[in-house]
Structures are given as structure tokens and as C-alpha cells.
Amino acid sequence: MAPRAFIPATLKGQPFTVAEAQAAGLSATALRGKSWRRVARGLYSWAGLTPDALMVLRAWQRAHPDTVYARRTAAWLHGLDTEPLDPIEVVAPLRSGLRSRNDITVRRCLIAKLDVATVRGLRATGVAQTFRDIGRSTPRVERLILADAALRAGLGCFDPLAEPAESAMETRLRWLLLKAGMPRPSVQRALHDAKGTFVGRADLYYEGARLVVEFDGGNHRDRLVEDNRRQNLLTNAGYRVLRFTAADVYSRPETIIAQVSGAVAASARPPTAARR
């Protein structure tokens, strides 16, 4: 019968470095056993633990205390919906020997103390610096998605086009219209009928055309009855409603542009021209 693996209690609750494993009595060879799982370069966890991203980042910064989390890793720490670990993104001192690999991106440079914040107990670039870094190499729509999320979360306004959109797909739909030269719509606009009764909130709204543009997400089928009732209220109050899905945004953008621009243009025609 094989001897029972030695599992120090101090290593069971969080990821750990090789140095921490050795301090607890484990050798580097022992870490290759089935009781342990490699979670990042130089980081391991007990196989019975499924570490979350924050656990991994805490352990990684313990191993590299002179680094500062940056870009998407920093954005995640600030509460934005980004991928923090694929790869881990850091700023390291100029003298650092740390290099970029598949699971980590390292930028060696000087960083001002004013641009560093403590977020969830970890050192990361401040929100403004994080957005400056992201803006250097991120597609325009992706930057706008993050800026919308930051505005909605109360972190600040980091893009002149930022609006408090409720989802990334709503931002993609709005960007599609803006890129096509459409006027800037209102976002999350509360709408009322002639008596002043609230009838719904529009994802996007063109006031002159009384046009509501909605994105139907994956939960639309679950909310079908509620959404139909809401659309009836909007229609009865004199609003026109256009609804689009992710398939429309990704595969039929020209259809969206044609329908929205057509509805806006039709509302601008004089009544006599419309009758002709």
C-alpha cells in the first residue's frame, strides 16, 4: 500500500509558492504528485481546492512583491468584467528579471506612486492609469465596453462616448450605430405615456423618432411574457420598438443599421412627404 501523501494544513486553503511549500516541509519533487495542482508558473494548490482568481493573484503577488497588476488584471480587481488570469498582466521594475510567458505579460517600466492603488489588498494601477494602458492596444469597442461598465459602477468617466449601459452587448449595439454615423442615442432612458405613467426603460432611445432600440439577451426567452407586455405598453404609448439579438449584431449589422436609420429618417420627413 502506497504511503499517504503529506499534506500540510497551511497549504490546503489557498495557492502557494514553491518557497512556501518548502517552508511547510514539501520538496519541489513532492509537488509533482497527484495531491497538488499547478495553477500558474511557480504557484501550486492542493488538488482538493479550486482556487478563485483572487486567491491566485494574492499568491502570485506574494511571490513577486515588487510588481503591480495592470491592464485587464487591474481592471478585474477594480470590479470590471475582464479576464484576470489569461494572462496575468503586471508592471515590473526596470531591474526586474521577470519575463513575459504564455500565462503572464510583463511590462518593465517606472510607474509613479500616484498611479498605483491598493485594490482588494493588492497593488494595481489606479483606474485612470488602467484605462490609459488598456487604450494603447485594445479595439475601440472593447474599450467602450469597459468605459461603460466603469461609468455604471461609479468609477468615473474614461471615454467621451461612455454611457451607463447594462451589458456589453448593449454597448456593441450602440457602437455599431455610432460607427455607421447614426446620431448618439440616449441610454437606459425612462419612458412615459401621455399621462406621465412609466411604461418602460429603453436600452437605446432616439427621442425625435420616438424610437426604442432593444437588445434581446439570452434571458429574453425566460422573460418573454414580461417583455411582450412591456412592448405593448410602449407601442400603445406611441413608441416604435426595434429589437435585435447577438446574431444580428455579429452577423447582420447592415440590417440593424438599415432598420434604425430608416426609422429615424422616416420620422424626420414632413407629413405630406410621408403621405406621398
Side-chain angles (χ1 to χ4, degrees):
M1 185 174 180
R4 193 170 187 177
F6 172 54
I7 303 176
T10 56
L11 303 182
K12 294 180 72 172
Q14 63 181 357
F16 53 86
T17 65
V18 174
E20 289 169 336
Q22 291 173 337
L26 282 180
S27 66
T29 303
L31 292 176
R32 299 175 192 154
K34 295 181 179 180
S35 297
W36 309 104
R37 179 189 301 122
R38 181 180 180 275
V39 295
R41 188 178 180 90
L43 289 182
Y44 294 83
S45 74
W46 174 50
L49 174 71
T50 302
D52 59 28
L54 189 57
M55 286 182 180
V56 174
L57 294 178
R58 283 173 175 162
W60 202 92
Q61 201 163 75
R62 287 199 308 274
H64 306 279
D66 58 349
T67 59
V68 174
Y69 289 122
R71 290 174 52 82
R72 291 187 176 273
T73 303
W76 182 85
L77 285 169
H78 284 291
L80 302 180
D81 186 16
T82 62
E83 170 50 60
L85 302 180
D86 189 21
I88 296 172
E89 299 185 86
V90 301
V91 174
L94 292 171
R95 68 181 184 280
S96 173
L98 201 60
R99 296 180 179 276
S100 295
R101 301 181 295 270
N102 289 339
D103 57 351
I104 180 170
T105 298
V106 180
R107 181 163 59 95
R108 289 194 293 274
C109 67
L110 295 173
I111 182 167
K113 289 183 178 180
L114 290 176
D115 293 327
V116 178
T118 300
V119 190
R120 305 197 209 184
L122 298 172
R123 297 173 73 234
T125 52
V127 182
Q129 182 62 46
T130 297
F131 270 91
R132 285 193 290 270
D133 292 342
I134 286 174
R136 293 189 179 103
S137 60
T138 304
R140 184 69 179 84
V141 65
E142 302 299 332
R143 299 201 308 268
L144 186 57
I145 287 170
L146 290 177
D148 280 3
L151 184 63
R152 186 170 181 81
L155 296 175
C157 183
F158 301 101
D159 191 297
L161 294 179
E163 298 280 4
E166 289 193 335
S167 73
M169 287 306 301
E170 287 179 22
T171 302
R172 291 186 190 280
L173 176 57
R174 184 171 96 255
W175 174 245
L176 184 66
L177 298 172
L178 293 175
K179 192 170 62 170
M182 293 289 298
R184 184 170 177 171
S186 299
V187 174
Q188 293 301 315
R189 175 73 171 270
L191 303 176
H192 303 80
D193 63 16
K195 296 180 180 179
T197 303
F198 176 76
V199 292
R201 188 175 298 277
D203 292 344
L204 306 176
Y205 181 62
Y206 286 99
E207 185 166 11
R210 293 181 66 82
L211 176 65
V212 176
V213 181
E214 296 280 275
F215 174 75
D216 286 338
N219 62 349
H220 172 62
R221 181 176 298 176
D222 299 332
R223 302 182 319 179
L224 188 58
V225 173
E226 179 186 343
D227 284 349
N228 286 343
R229 288 173 180 165
R230 175 173 165 274
Q231 180 162 332
N232 289 342
L233 288 173
L234 290 167
T235 303
N236 289 339
Y239 298 101
R240 180 174 179 182
V241 181
L242 293 177
R243 314 185 75 99
F244 301 105
T245 66
D248 296 320
V249 173
Y250 288 121
S251 302
R252 294 182 289 276
E254 68 286 346
T255 300
I256 296 175
I257 295 166
Q259 291 187 9
V260 175
S261 61
V264 171
S267 70
R269 297 190 196 110
T272 53
R275 283 197 295 270
R276 291 195 194 109

